[in-house]
Amino acid sequence: MERREISKDVYDKIIKQIPKKIIEMLPDKPENLLKYATRIKEVQFSKNVDEPTKKLMKEKLLNDEEYLRTFFFVMAITFYNKKRVENPQIKIVAAQTGSGKSNLTAKLLREDENYIFVDSDKYKHFRYDAKDIANEYQVLYPFLTGPDGYDHADNIYEYAIANKYNIIKESAPSKNKGLLNVDTEELLKNNYKISVYILAVGELNSLLSVHERYELQIIHGLKTAKLTSVGRHDESYEALIPNVEEIKDDKRINSINVYIRGNLDNAYSPTQIFPSERFCDIIECIKTIREEDNENTKEEFKKRYELVHKQMEARKAPKEQFNQLEEIYGRSIK
Amino acid sequence: MKEVYAELATEIIENELATVMNKYAVAQNQEDSKLLAQKIEVLQEMKVEIGKGNSNIIKMVLKRKKKGII
């Protein structure tokens, strides 16, 4: 996809508005970072986006001045206190939406803090009009702020690789994009060691978690809450095994690890299950753990389902959201 | 503490950081600038603590968000 740079004139105009403290937090002089602030020439739309939303997405694209200003904010936040390393590593955390990727990422970050966490979702909030968009278009917020968020994530990723920072990236599996969704050759050229971390979670568990997380976000007043559709969930759930098959014998990948979700007994800390004595094949491992997890979820399903339902009733949730929950209920009694 | 609470607290802090940075960029006087710069430091520290799984900070953030303080 073709990208374009931001002009020096725009840079000269906005650099005066960036406070000293934020400039101090940057990983390099702002003038040296300018070349990384590139933008996609044509906005890419997913198949499920309708025409009015596409129009609105184009309208809400930041102008170059605001884009660059936000770029400096997200660079400052992301690289603050992080250090370059001689032998960089990239960890890809992969699983379907709702499976607890953030928790595994947090665990990996606790083991070594010196990692850049690339996540397009969090950059969206740094644009000056994020709150206004969230108030006016609660459902469309992720779409309207998406293109600039993805560009910022690409900029950060590119800078991190060129300057040898350790990286953690979360990935929802996809049939078209594959699991890595990164330029492997570029990583190897920069001496990166690539490791993949997979969470094996049953579909019922992750589907319910999608709703539980959404309700909690609403309860805590997060206007940027996002309810993932069953379709998107299923796509990533079904793509995981084919995606792992594609890379399991890839010699360029240093290790592929499988984790199970944490529970009350281990303070919700994910536990590594592959490689281990129990499994000699990664695909068998993922399939078995998913089945076990599904059976366990069925036992607690009613309790979790009823709580979500009650929370939805309390806030008078839209009919479509109830329908989605009922669809998940239907799967639990199959 | 349940995993989702830490995720939620991180999201709240990151939203707040974004708001504070935008306010900081347009702050008119030195006093405001100083206060907002300090707030950025504190929020960064809170983010690190949440990452470490500090349940006191996580609870505090969620409580404050629920009450509308942040």
Side-chain angles (χ1 to χ4, degrees):
Chain A
M1 276 171 279
E2 265 194 287
R3 303 188 73 86
R4 64 178 178 85
E5 291 184 352
I6 291 176
S7 73
K8 183 76 170 53
D9 286 349
V10 169
Y11 170 83
D12 289 338
K13 206 169 162 190
I14 71 108
I15 197 63
K16 296 170 205 143
Q17 303 161 14
I18 309 292
K20 198 170 150 237
K21 168 84 187 159
I22 293 174
I23 291 188
E24 283 168 5
M25 288 165 72
L26 292 169
D28 201 344
K29 288 179 185 162
E31 60 266 33
N32 295 340
L33 298 176
L34 176 63
K35 66 175 176 189
Y36 293 96
T38 59
R39 309 186 72 179
I40 203 156
K41 277 189 177 172
E42 283 276 327
V43 183
Q44 306 292 307
F45 301 106
S46 349
K47 279 180 204 156
N48 59 341
V49 178
D50 58 30
E51 286 306 318
T53 307
K54 281 182 189 171
K55 196 173 163 236
L56 213 49
M57 281 168 78
K58 283 183 189 164
E59 273 172 35
K60 294 293 173 190
L61 274 181
L62 290 170
N63 63 34
D64 278 1
E65 286 173 26
E66 288 303 342
Y67 181 86
L68 191 57
R69 198 157 73 114
T70 313
F71 167 80
F72 286 126
F73 289 174
V74 296
M75 286 295 284
I77 290 294
T78 308
F79 288 91
Y80 183 56
N81 276 345
K82 306 290 180 189
K83 292 174 182 66
R84 297 169 196 206
V85 290
E86 191 87 8
N87 299 303
Q89 306 211 23
I90 181 165
K91 295 179 176 176
I92 314 275
V93 178
Q96 73 267 24
T97 180
S99 55
K101 289 193 289 288
S102 305
N103 199 37
L104 180 54
T105 299
K107 183 186 168 101
L108 297 172
L109 283 170
R110 279 197 293 276
E111 289 167 4
D112 183 355
E113 281 179 17
N114 194 28
Y115 272 79
I116 303 303
F117 175 33
V118 185
D119 176 11
S120 63
D121 276 347
K122 71 177 175 188
Y123 311 132
K124 296 168 179 176
H125 313 316
F126 284 85
R127 53 188 288 163
Y128 76 103
D129 56 354
K131 279 201 167 154
D132 297 335
I133 297 178
N135 281 330
E136 202 177 341
Y137 306 99
Q138 201 172 336
V139 178
L140 293 179
Y141 177 82
F143 292 94
L144 305 185
T145 53
D148 289 312
Y150 292 129
D151 273 349
H152 283 129
D154 287 343
N155 299 163
I156 285 170
Y157 185 64
E158 197 187 327
Y159 179 81
I161 292 174
N163 292 279
K164 293 192 171 183
Y165 284 88
N166 290 327
I167 301 169
I168 291 192
K169 210 169 184 246
E170 289 181 4
S171 163
S174 154
K175 275 174 198 154
N176 305 328
K177 292 179 187 165
L179 198 62
L180 297 187
N181 195 14
V182 292
D183 188 343
T184 312
E185 291 310 317
E186 186 67 21
L187 290 168
L188 296 172
K189 211 171 79 190
N190 284 283
N191 203 24
Y192 270 84
K193 224 180 211 180
I194 307 169
S195 308
V196 178
Y197 294 78
I198 288 159
L199 265 162
V201 176
E203 61 165 340
L204 282 178
N205 201 356
S206 48
L207 278 167
L208 261 184
S209 292
V210 164
H211 274 266
E212 287 167 339
R213 182 177 57 193
Y214 185 73
E215 291 308 317
L216 273 178
Q217 286 175 319
I218 300 275
I219 287 169
H220 288 89
L222 273 169
K223 293 208 168 82
T224 50
K226 184 170 88 178
L227 181 64
T228 309
S229 69
V230 170
R232 177 65 192 114
H233 168 276
D234 289 351
E235 189 202 334
S236 59
Y237 180 81
E238 283 155 19
L240 181 68
I241 289 179
N243 280 177
V244 174
E245 268 165 349
E246 276 168 25
I247 60 159
K248 70 177 188 163
D249 299 318
D250 191 332
K251 298 278 177 276
R252 298 171 303 173
I253 294 167
N254 191 53
S255 70
I256 308 180
N257 312 277
V258 181
Y259 279 70
I260 54 169
R261 238 170 141 165
N263 55 39
L264 188 61
D265 298 333
N266 60 13
Y268 296 100
S269 178
T271 309
Q272 188 161 359
I273 196 89
F274 183 89
S276 72
E277 282 176 9
R278 190 177 165 197
F279 297 103
C280 53
D281 178 67
I282 190 167
I283 303 295
E284 182 210 341
C285 169
I286 298 171
K287 282 183 180 168
T288 308
I289 296 296
R290 277 180 163 184
E291 277 170 26
E292 286 176 5
D293 189 47
N294 238 13
E295 288 311 307
N296 292 337
T297 307
K298 277 181 185 169
E299 282 172 28
E300 59 181 27
F301 189 89
K302 196 167 173 263
K303 202 172 141 199
R304 288 171 66 184
Y305 163 84
E306 283 174 356
L307 179 63
V308 173
H309 202 276
K310 215 160 130 186
Q311 289 166 333
M312 287 170 73
E313 274 178 340
R315 68 174 172 87
K316 296 185 176 66
K319 198 171 163 258
E320 301 78 45
Q321 294 183 359
F322 278 107
N323 290 346
Q324 177 159 310
L325 188 67
E326 288 317 303
E327 193 184 332
I328 300 166
Y329 178 81
R331 291 187 191 190
S332 78
I333 50 172
K334 262 184 195 167
Chain B
M1 174 165 252
K2 217 172 173 185
E3 56 195 73
V4 71
Y5 292 117
E7 191 187 338
L8 204 56
T10 306
E11 203 177 337
I12 292 166
I13 290 297
E14 275 169 357
N15 274 0
E16 186 62 9
L17 257 171
T19 308
V20 173
M21 279 182 130
N22 274 294
K23 276 188 192 163
Y24 185 32
V26 293
Q28 295 295 327
N29 61 60
Q30 226 175 345
E31 206 178 319
D32 285 352
S33 288
K34 205 176 152 192
L35 262 170
L36 291 163
Q38 283 169 351
K39 209 169 172 186
I40 290 172
E41 286 278 354
V42 173
L43 289 167
Q44 287 278 34
E45 282 168 25
M46 285 169 84
K47 203 173 118 182
V48 172
E49 285 304 310
I50 294 167
K52 286 179 186 164
N54 186 330
S55 56
N56 288 336
I57 300 285
I58 296 169
K59 278 180 200 160
M60 183 188 81
V61 170
L62 295 179
K63 220 183 232 175
R64 286 189 179 185
K65 182 70 186 173
K66 228 172 173 178
K67 285 183 180 170
I69 302 171
I70 46 175

